[in-house]
Amino acid sequence: MSADDTSGLSSITGIHTVVVPVADMDQALAFWTGALGFEVQMDSPFGEGQHWVEVAAHDADAAATTIGLMSGSGLPTGVNTGIRLSTSDAAAAWRALADGGVDVDDLLSLPGAPPMFTFRDGDGNELVVVEIAP
């Protein structure tokens, strides 16, 4: 298939879930639902000794991309996930997370880029919050 031929891909309509490996599901859920205010969308055992929980931003619509927290998979934790979360006010989000004890880096304001910052969950997985104009 050439780069210009997308006929075989026309049934792909979006991104459903991205995965973040976690060592302790209870700790991860406390972080994602407590510190970040996300809501559990699905909670299920997944294979032998594995646990799968999907979380999404508060009041996300049914088509929103979820984050799949997966424990017991053997995948490494403490990684840069590449996930970018959005907010309408990066400074307020930074303050709220920092005040809540979350490991946050400095708020960046780079020329030509929106305000953003990196933070880490309890396993050291890195995520970025980016301000998106309303």
Side-chain angles (χ1 to χ4, degrees):
M1 175 185 332
S2 73
D4 295 330
D5 181 11
T6 60
S7 61
L9 304 177
S10 62
S11 63
I12 296 174
T13 60
I15 299 169
H16 176 11
T17 304
V18 294
V19 177
V20 173
V22 300
D24 181 303
M25 186 60 74
D26 292 334
Q27 174 186 309
L29 281 174
F31 177 81
W32 284 88
T33 61
L36 298 183
F38 278 41
E39 297 175 340
V40 173
Q41 302 291 312
M42 179 173 67
D43 185 342
S44 176
F46 185 75
E48 289 187 40
Q50 297 180 14
H51 192 170
W52 177 270
V53 177
E54 287 183 27
V55 295
H58 180 69
D59 290 335
D61 65 38
T65 301
T66 61
I67 295 180
L69 306 174
M70 186 171 190
S71 64
S73 67
L75 293 173
T77 59
V79 299
N80 181 337
T81 66
I83 296 171
R84 303 311 190 242
L85 304 173
S86 60
T87 183
S88 61
D89 187 341
W94 183 92
R95 276 190 304 281
L97 291 177
D99 289 348
V102 174
D103 181 13
V104 295
D105 290 345
D106 292 338
L107 180 63
L108 301 176
S109 187
L110 305 170
M116 66 183 81
F117 64 92
T118 300
F119 72 94
R120 280 155 293 286
D121 67 9
D123 285 301
N125 295 309
E126 290 185 2
L127 300 102
V128 175
V129 174
V130 179
E131 184 172 304
I132 305 297

